[in-house]
Amino acid sequence: MRVNQIYFFHSILKNMVYYAVAKGRNTGIYSTWDECQKQVTRFSGPIFKKFTTKAAAEEFILKNSESNQTPNKNSASVLTKRLRAQKTKLLEGTSQESSSTKSEAPKRKTMALPTCESPMKRTRGEYIIDSNGYVNVYTDGACSSNGRKNAKAGIGVWFGDDHPLNVSRPVVGRATNNMAEIQAVTVAAQQAAKAGIKNLKINTDSQFLISCITSWMPKWKRNGWKTSNNEPVINKTELLEMEKALNSLDVTWNHVNGHVGIYGNEMADQLARAGCEDY
């Protein structure tokens, strides 16, 4: 019995995660994303990260807490520097692309970024363009009570801070997480086409979505829209709508990890969650 208890507690500790909030409404370590989110959502310039050990989380807070930074009007904050580095990587095209639905487009001159103090801050209406001429957009879907009758879902489309093409709205139809992810990309493609964008890089934390468009859909079409288990594909209509919206664009896909402080992904997530509230 004692040995079983040891294994039980060991498995609990092994699976524990720690969300460190160095800058937010309340600095500290939280055991769930929901608790962490309350401290950082819609908070200006939050600094937070997920860890597998408490010691690493504590060290992160010590290094990044505002109380440990020397006040200086002329120096950028730690978060600003970190996100500027992310922004530079986006423009230089150093982010690894998962796949491309069409042949690579000829290189175009990358739009220069203005000097700014706010992370990813740009002139209204400008885009984040990589070295291959692809406009970056971040998409995300959110759903509360997924799979239940009272579920609420929203989509988030983020081209940049305060960008006129950004979208935050409820899901149309069934409120599920996958539906939200699909509709977010559909709307992003529609927004891009409306603005005259030809080359689009879609950054998403949904591997399901990327697998759908790059691998599963061709197989489903050959099988009469049946899965490998001979079951009807649930989101057939929405997937075809997404495919139609993407057809006029040269699209490349980039998978990003969710909730690890990637600025564009966090902004898309906030837009999606706000869309849930309007459901």
Side-chain angles (χ1 to χ4, degrees):
M1 183 66 178
R2 185 172 298 174
V3 173
N4 290 337
Q5 287 178 331
I6 292 173
Y7 278 113
F8 174 73
F9 287 114
H10 174 73
S11 65
I12 291 177
L13 291 173
K14 185 178 179 181
N15 294 317
M16 285 187 69
V17 294
Y18 302 88
Y19 293 90
V21 178
K23 182 180 178 184
R25 292 182 179 84
N26 294 291
T27 300
I29 298 174
Y30 299 88
S31 59
T32 68
W33 166 243
D34 287 340
E35 293 175 310
C36 174
Q37 186 186 24
K38 291 177 183 178
Q39 311 307 322
V40 299
T41 299
R42 296 184 181 178
F43 184 91
S44 178
I47 304 177
F48 61 98
K49 191 174 181 180
K50 182 173 73 173
F51 294 92
T52 56
T53 66
K54 189 174 182 180
E58 291 173 344
E59 183 179 359
F60 175 81
I61 292 176
L62 286 174
K63 287 183 178 180
N64 294 279
S65 176
E66 284 193 324
S67 62
N68 293 327
Q69 297 174 15
T70 303
N72 187 340
K73 292 182 179 179
N74 298 319
S75 62
S77 67
V78 172
L79 177 63
T80 300
K81 291 178 181 178
R82 179 165 60 86
L83 290 174
R84 277 180 179 171
Q86 289 180 7
K87 181 172 59 180
T88 302
K89 285 185 179 181
L90 280 173
L91 291 171
E92 293 176 349
T94 56
S95 296
Q96 182 179 1
E97 296 175 0
S98 297
S99 56
S100 177
T101 59
K102 297 185 180 179
S103 59
E104 183 174 327
K107 292 186 178 182
R108 284 193 271 167
K109 185 177 180 181
T110 301
M111 185 181 297
L113 282 169
T115 303
C116 55
E117 289 299 317
S118 176
M120 304 290 278
K121 192 69 176 178
R122 303 175 58 79
T123 303
R124 182 176 173 83
E126 290 187 348
Y127 306 105
I128 302 169
I129 304 177
D130 69 15
S131 59
N132 291 319
Y134 284 83
V135 172
N136 278 268
V137 62
Y138 286 79
T139 67
D140 202 8
C143 184
S144 62
S145 302
N146 189 41
R148 301 178 184 176
K149 291 183 178 179
N150 62 335
K152 297 180 179 181
I155 69 169
V157 176
W158 187 85
F159 283 88
D161 285 334
D162 301 317
H163 201 285
L165 295 183
N166 290 354
V167 176
S168 174
R169 68 164 176 77
V171 159
V172 177
R174 294 179 298 107
T176 68
N177 189 64
N178 286 343
M179 180 78 90
E181 296 285 1
I182 294 168
Q183 288 191 13
V185 168
T186 302
V187 171
Q190 292 169 344
Q191 291 288 85
K194 181 174 66 176
I197 296 170
K198 298 299 182 183
N199 302 322
L200 188 67
K201 178 188 284 185
I202 300 175
N203 299 276
T204 172
D205 60 15
S206 173
Q207 188 59 56
F208 158 82
L209 191 62
I210 294 176
S211 295
C212 277
I213 197 71
T214 62
S215 177
W216 299 339
M217 284 180 66
K219 296 178 183 178
W220 290 337
K221 288 178 181 179
R222 291 194 299 268
N223 294 335
W225 282 97
K226 296 289 182 66
T227 67
S228 58
N229 295 325
N230 204 34
E231 297 289 336
V233 176
I234 296 175
N235 297 305
K236 173 185 175 182
T237 300
E238 292 74 31
L239 288 169
L240 286 173
E241 289 177 355
M242 179 181 71
E243 184 181 57
K244 181 180 178 181
L246 293 169
N247 277 341
S248 64
L249 305 170
D250 188 352
V251 175
T252 183
W253 297 85
N254 184 42
H255 180 261
V256 298
N257 293 324
H259 308 307
V260 294
I262 298 174
Y263 188 73
N265 175 256
E266 298 297 340
M267 295 301 101
D269 177 71
Q270 288 189 20
L271 291 171
R273 291 179 182 278
C276 282
E277 297 174 3
D278 296 329
Y279 193 84

